Amino acid sequence: MSPFKEKVRVVSGIQPTGELHIGNYFGAIRNWLALQDEYECFFFIADYHAITEEWDPEQLRRNTQNLVLDLLACGIDPERSVLFVQSHVPEHTELCWVFNALAGYGDLQRMTQFKEKREHVERTQEFVSVGLFDYPVLQAADILIYHGAKVPVGEDQLQHLELTRRIARRFNARFGAYFPEPEPLLSEAPRIMSPAAPEKKMSKSLGPKHYLALFEPEESFWEKIKTAVTDTGPQGETMSPGVANLFLLLKLSAAPEVYEGFRAEYAQGTIRYAKLKEAVFEHLMEVLRPLRERRAKLTEADARAAMERGAAKAQKVAQETLHEVRRRIGVGPVPPDDVGTS
Ligand code: TRP
């Protein structure tokens, strides 16, 4: 019997938008790692979600493959978790089409993320795609196709999860109880800010100066910390955002005594920011070193092997769900065991 059977199932996805940074690591990914012990985890790379805005095919493929390796290097364990690429399990998109018939147009119109993205896309691209509008329905399919009970996501995804529950309820009401109503697994994600503009959240879209990539060369990693914005003038009562950000990074990476030591110096007004920055760099590197060493050894062949293995495991479950969904809603070829029973 599978050792999985008693475990609650977790499903989560991440878009292949380019290199991972320490905000992604200390936010989402570290949570994923912790969940692997307690839950049966399905983690995937949402490449079909990435085509809801303009994309470059070659870059998408490269980003997807690299993200597989990045996640393996971070410690996603393919022995315990199912790690795969969304498009390699095409059942997701078929279930999405079924769910399109159960999702309210008005509900989708109310999605905050769509409204925000739409505004951005309207300014920067030729048109706003129907895919961008339908994004949350594909997300519902991603989760329910595995009967996911818990979904680790950030606050910004709660509305999408609410829609997922609504779709599940609607399906169950019309076609008999089948899907669970998945719940979010919210964990605190530290708000890591850009070193160059510490009033803004660390993000790739701001440009390379604004994020510390997990796997970038040590030299540029250090350069960004070294030149990080600190105080611009005499300090008032509250710590400046740049200094607060350095302290946050230290707290995440160093022993409590180290952190407390610098806090005391700050309180006494004897702190030297150059020393604080060196400490931040050294401790972050210490945390990241094992990941970086693992990443350096991984090859394209490893990515291919992992993707194949993950897709096979995921697809087995996905096909069962689709089979049952088709049967219940009255589409697809009549399965042999149903012939003559109605
Ligand atoms: N929309 C999610 C995000 O941007 C990514 C995602 C796609 C996802 N499908 C999912 C997350 C299913 C959880 C479950 O973060």
Side-chain angles (χ1 to χ4, degrees):
M1 204 177 96
S2 152
F4 275 168
K5 281 285 168 341
E6 286 97 277
K7 289 190 174 177
V8 174
R9 202 173 271 172
V10 156
V11 179
S12 198
I14 182 169
Q15 278 204 49
T17 46
E19 28 177 26
L20 291 177
H21 57 66
I22 59 169
N24 305 131
Y25 181 73
F26 289 109
I29 294 166
R30 227 178 30 158
N31 287 331
W32 285 17
L33 299 179
L35 295 171
Q36 295 188 107
D37 299 324
E38 203 181 325
Y39 299 99
E40 180 191 8
C41 296
F42 283 69
F43 295 129
F44 66 93
I45 296 170
D47 56 346
Y48 267 147
H49 277 108
I51 67 164
T52 57
E53 294 174 55
E54 272 176 19
W55 77 101
D56 174 70
E58 268 171 45
Q59 201 178 335
L60 176 58
R61 195 176 286 285
R62 204 170 340 109
N63 285 346
T64 299
Q65 193 173 66
N66 282 334
L67 189 48
V68 170
L69 297 181
D70 291 353
L71 291 173
L72 289 173
C74 284
I76 297 296
D77 176 5
E79 295 292 327
R80 289 184 291 163
S81 302
V82 185
L83 174 65
F84 65 101
V85 179
Q86 185 186 37
S87 67
H88 299 190
V89 185
E91 286 78 6
H92 287 229
T93 48
E94 184 175 340
L95 187 60
C96 174
W97 185 254
V98 175
F99 285 173
N100 279 337
L102 299 171
Y105 182 81
D107 286 339
L108 286 179
Q109 272 182 318
R110 277 190 289 279
M111 293 292 136
T112 314
Q113 184 175 299
F114 172 70
K115 286 193 256 182
E116 283 167 10
K117 285 198 175 183
R118 170 196 196 155
E119 229 174 78
H120 170 75
V121 169
E122 263 168 358
R123 272 185 280 113
T124 55
Q125 298 174 17
E126 193 193 335
F127 65 99
V128 177
S129 76
V130 174
L132 190 68
F133 186 66
D134 204 30
Y135 181 116
V137 180
L138 179 57
Q139 188 165 346
D142 294 336
I143 298 163
L144 294 176
I145 204 162
Y146 303 109
H147 291 253
K150 305 267 182 194
V151 185
V153 282
E155 295 261 354
D156 62 325
Q157 298 295 312
L158 291 180
Q159 205 184 14
H160 290 172
L161 211 56
E162 187 58 53
L163 181 80
T164 301
R165 281 197 292 276
R166 177 168 271 209
I167 290 173
R169 273 198 298 278
R170 212 168 256 162
F171 185 97
N172 294 344
R174 291 214 195 145
F175 309 110
Y178 184 56
F179 288 117
E181 290 183 33
E183 282 170 15
L185 268 177
L186 275 177
S187 46
E188 25 64 73
R191 253 179 88 78
I192 299 178
M193 312 305 277
S194 152
E199 63 294 338
K200 293 187 186 140
K201 210 173 136 188
M202 179 172 287
S203 146
K204 279 185 301 270
S205 56
L206 295 170
K209 280 195 319 206
H210 296 278
Y211 65 92
L212 297 161
L214 277 190
F215 301 111
E216 76 177 275
E218 264 189 50
E219 299 77 48
S220 59
F221 197 94
W222 164 237
E223 192 60 30
K224 291 178 199 176
I225 294 174
K226 194 175 87 179
T227 56
V229 173
T230 50
D231 292 331
T232 42
Q235 299 144 53
E237 284 294 288
T238 53
M239 197 182 269
S240 73
V243 175
N245 199 36
L246 290 170
F247 271 114
L248 173 60
L249 294 177
L250 194 63
K251 192 170 194 177
L252 289 168
S253 58
E257 309 86 75
V258 176
Y259 173 78
E260 292 306 333
F262 278 99
R263 286 299 298 223
E265 288 184 20
Y266 179 84
Q268 289 154 15
T270 56
I271 193 163
R272 284 180 46 233
Y273 290 144
K275 243 185 76 199
L276 174 64
K277 287 174 169 181
E278 273 167 31
V280 167
F281 172 70
E282 269 159 32
H283 288 102
L284 274 178
M285 270 302 146
E286 215 164 285
V287 171
L288 300 182
R289 197 159 292 123
L291 282 58
R292 293 165 62 88
E293 284 172 4
R294 273 201 298 268
R295 182 66 180 85
K297 291 200 193 94
L298 289 168
T299 64
E300 208 168 296
D302 295 318
R304 235 174 292 130
M307 290 190 289
E308 218 170 280
R309 180 179 181 195
K313 284 203 249 177
Q315 191 161 32
K316 207 166 155 280
V317 180
Q319 276 174 345
E320 274 176 34
T321 303
L322 233 335
H323 181 84
E324 185 59 22
V325 166
R326 287 159 149 232
R327 196 184 68 74
R328 289 186 185 223
I329 70 168
V331 305
V334 181
D337 47 343
D338 283 10
V339 174
T341 58
S342 55

